[in-house]
Amino acid sequence: MPHLWMFLLKALTPSSHEVLLIDGNAQPMDEAGIARYVREQKIGLVGIGAMTRMIAKAYRMADAVRAAGVPVVMGGPHVTEMPDEALGRDGGLRHADAVALGEADETWPKIVEDAVRGKLKDVYAPVDDFGPERKPPLQPYPSIPWNEINLDQFNIVPKAAYPLLKKVGGGWGTFRIIPVESGRGCPYGCEFCTVTGFFGDSIRFRTNESVVNELLLLKARAKSEDGQIAVFFIDDNFAINVKRTKSLLRDIIAANAQVHWVAQISANLLRDEELVDLIAAAGGKWIFIGMESIDPTNLAGVNKGFNKPGEYAAVLERLAQRNVFAITSFIFGMDNDTIGVAERTLQQIRTWPPGLPIFGLLTPLPGTPLYTRLKDNGRLTRPKHWQEFIPFTMAHTPLRMTISEAHAEVLEGWNRSYSPEAIAHAVETLDHKPLGYRINILVARLCFRGIYFPQMGPWAWVKVIAQNRRTIFRLLKEGLTGRGGFPLGLPSHASGHDSTSDAD
Ligand code: B12
Ligand code: SF4
């Protein structure tokens, strides 16, 4: 999935400029490649955004662009917290000519103007004329021209599979996940999270009409190119104001603007039956829930006591009954975790409807209260962990286990949840559901496995498919014999199915 900021800032760029978008995940380049690209394309200004975990690469790219004589502006959560690092004011190398702090919706046009005049300032802060920080209200919200933007780099369907899938029909020639925001901000202030500090605890929403129009545009594009588009609502807590979320979902349904979507919602907000009904009816397929831990002491320790592990099972049942499934996210290495935390968590997970569990390690991100607490307590082992980023590796010592023990727990979580046996079991427990759901779970599990066990390139995929061949053949056979409810299990929007029908 691409990042939203680049589409948003493109839409906010004065129309006299041409903007080219490169996503480093979809179109990786090395230093020489990016330098060649900016020269060949005669680029006048480069904007780079990155999360903490990708900042080391972002700095290398920025250095290469600046060495090619083109100015660089950096923005996003990491440089907002660490502007001196990006500007070389901390004694290190300077990577950026300018840094955009915080939300740049309103500062970006000014940055472009200053760049044209050759007068870039070091720092652009989102302040109003009198000085205090100004949060973009999101009303009005720029209309992102999804019908015109070249999305080739974001097609998830492997090129080799195009011809076959086109023949199968059902609009599966292309499949893209598109980020859409309906609002910003979260007041909960979990200790490890960047969001409350960055977007503030003032929650802002777009109008329902503006969100609905964006969905209609995306739906029309998918149809016109005989492809599939799913939406990721990137709001940090899509139902933070339940009344407003319900009203948005009702408007989506009334406008027939349903597409398949994923959203992030905290478990406490999913107690509401009517909300879950509306989620299902409006096209919601997967809900990402930050469960973090099954231990209330851990949750209280990171200011997330509003998560009640005792109600996780009921929340997941409520979703599954409406054929909506959950991506359940856990953090190991929290202060009350001890050896065996993976097994204890897995025991609980096994009692829930199958979903997509993911496991990470508590990570002190710069600017978070967690970072400050661990630093003050002398517990950071790699205070600038982002400069030598290593996936799934801790940067501080947990209290009741060692770093390597915490690493082993995460490995166990992934190993046991994504083994061929576990995947087969997840699919089998859904035997009473239409074939489409089981295919959905299978494909999602095979993809999510790659978060921990990188499966880059065709050979890695051949291996994964071979390991899971029994489950794959079983579903294929069912599809070909028609036992699963519809041929081959691939629903077709072209055949006039409602996009929220059970078969999807
Ligand atoms: C979508 C999302 C994802 C997607 C990312 C897809 C992808 N291609 O990588 C998924 C779900 C995969 C994901 C995963 C992760 N994510 Co994430 N994610 C988000 C989320 C929810 C939305 C991002 C977004 O679009 N925001 C809306 C836009 C408008 O805001 P924005 O990106 O900040 O952009 C604005 C400004 O920052 C600025 N800006 C940004 N870039 C630039 C560049 C320039 C040049 C300029 C001028 C301005 C500018 O202008 C924009 C408009 O105001 C944010 C939370 C959030 N609300 O932002 C977390 C967030 C970015 N993720 C976070 C984290 C930690 C992760 C993970 C590391 C989690 C984990 N433990 O695995 C992984 C890492 C993934 C990876 N790629 O390596 C943290 C990052 C904190 C940090 N300091 O880096 C955030 C802030 C959430 C949090 N709880 O703290 N994530
Ligand atoms: S609920 Fe989610 S977005 Fe809000 S502060 Fe907690 S982790 Fe961050």
Side-chain angles (χ1 to χ4, degrees), residues 186 188-190 192-193 195-196 236-237 292 304 306:
C186 176
Y188 287 173
C190 304
F192 50 81
C193 178
V195 168
T196 307
D236 291 293
N237 217 333
E292 329 301 11
K304 199 152 186 170
F306 58 86

